[in-house]
Amino acid sequence: MDDPSSTSKGKRKRGRKQKAAAGNHASAPPDATVAAASDSPAPAAAGRRGRKSRRHEAPADADASRLPSPPRRGETKPVANGGDAVVDAGPVGWDDVARVLPSMDAVVKVFCVHTEPNFSLPWQRKRQYSSSSSGFIIGGRRVLTNAHSVEHYTQVKLKKRGSDTKYLATVLAIGTECDIALLTVDDDEFWEGVSPVEFGSLPALQDAVTVVGYPIGGDTISVTSGVVSRIEILSYVHGSTELLGLQIDAAINSGNSGGPAFNDRGKCVGIAFQSLKHEDAENIGYVIPTPVIMHFIQDYEKSGEYTGFPILGIEWQKMENPDLRKAMGMKPDQKGVRVRRVEPTAPESGCLQPSDIILSFDGIDIANDGTVPFRHGERIGFSYLVSQKYTGEKALIKILRNSKVHEFKIKLATHKRLVAAHVKGRPPSYYIVAGFVFAAVSVPYLRSEYGKDYEYDAPVKLLVKHIHAMAQSPDEQLVVVSQVLVADINIGYEEIVNTQVLAFNGQHVKNLKNLVTMVENCKDEFLKFDLEYDQIVVLETKTAKAATQDILTTHCIPSAMSDDLKT
């Protein structure tokens, strides 16, 4: 997994803060108001041209080290909804001022101890490390934060604002695709005196937003303000998916992950989760909007677990070229996108075919560039309509095939990749025989073997399968010889690394469990593995099985196969 505190050019980075990280940009003081300040300066006093607004300059005799005095009785103070509140009779202290912004008290600091699997040495785990991030309390005694904040968690603790106690938390659900996690705390004391955050609607462009959290640079709560600068389908770094997202110009730094973004009425409109680090870009942060958040929460409430965001299992092509539209038999008033390929494991494979033209989804027409109407003056990719559905729901698709219009009701499902983007918190599977370590390829495996830039450093054949190959069955895996543990029996095979296994004794290898079953039940004299690049590995069966335990003992490996492969 990427080091969340590091930066690289041109990449969106997750905002979890590691405990050892230090240094940060300056952030707003804890008592800053949620309401965004007006862009127009206060008018200058009459007859004094060129004088700066009073609120932008300090009095000459002000003591910089002295805190401002608490509000006096009858004095007006700004509140989160943009208005003013009049202080009632009686002395007023700083505790009363803090209660003007009750939503900030619902923001908590998340402490997590992670123990990541070692995909290169799957019988081991990496050294545990700690990180801190942000979260906030919602209704039903629950807390929202980012999925990458609690990924591979061993222990999760929460601390409220102004408290000196850390409470043990329970992880209820982790949504890897949408980068959201749901937590709860059993201790009743944690929930005392805290009002849950209320959700607002999707903001418009130029709406003011305020991100609250615990970024690096200090231990207390931090507030940064900005505006919504873009609303579109974004690439979610942690989930390797594309969902609706907000781009804002408020600073989102390491540790801000999981913190809420409030509008000028104090309602939560999103969750901070990543930022863009590039030499030509400044203050570009990204927020998970409320439609995605509510989809995650309602999905959990419906089924008791996170089931994911459905997609159409197709690859499609734009139909902007007029000659292409004519060749496909489209009328001048017809618009849509062409189906290039259909996932064999997707429910759509039973009705959709290559070169079909998708005209509409659930009654909403799709343009030739693949967009649909979103809001006034805005368009968005039609995958947004699919992501609003739930796994198992049906959708009506209108297609054009051979100049005839057809309608199909299809059942939506989640995407099954040949090279999985996540292992859902499970330890990696592996199998060892005669020193050959067999493993299934996944994105975490590629990242472990080739680093964060595995897209550039991994073998081309593995990358082609990762990006373009489609699984022919729901349980298909890409099985490779990860490495060879050197022993007398495998002399001459020591240099085989990350090479795909195509067949065993002439039979196609479907997945890792299928390979294990064939090897364990082999009655032939030899074990013959057909590998990529026309390589062949031949081992005498009895010798190979007898030598396996000695090799495991020599290399101090506890077991020849992982628990989920044992029969």
Side-chain angles (χ1 to χ4, degrees), residues 393-429:
E393 284 188 348
K394 292 186 177 181
L396 180 65
I397 291 185
K398 183 186 294 185
I399 68 167
L400 180 69
R401 179 185 298 167
N402 298 326
S403 301
K404 295 182 180 179
V405 177
H406 303 270
E407 290 187 349
F408 297 101
K409 267 202 168 183
I410 60 172
K411 186 178 181 180
L412 299 174
T414 54
H415 187 34
K416 173 63 179 70
R417 290 187 175 97
L418 178 61
V419 178
H422 292 275
V423 294
K424 307 291 184 183
R426 298 189 303 268
S429 300

Side-chain angles (χ1 to χ4, degrees), residues 49 51 100 210 283 462 504:
R49 292 179 296 173
R51 181 181 178 182
V100 173
T210 303
N283 285 348
L462 290 182
F504 170 75

Side-chain angles (χ1 to χ4, degrees), residues 8-11 276-282:
S8 61
K9 295 183 180 180
K11 291 191 176 182
L276 180 63
K277 303 298 183 183
H278 191 275
E279 58 184 4
D280 296 328
E282 294 182 359

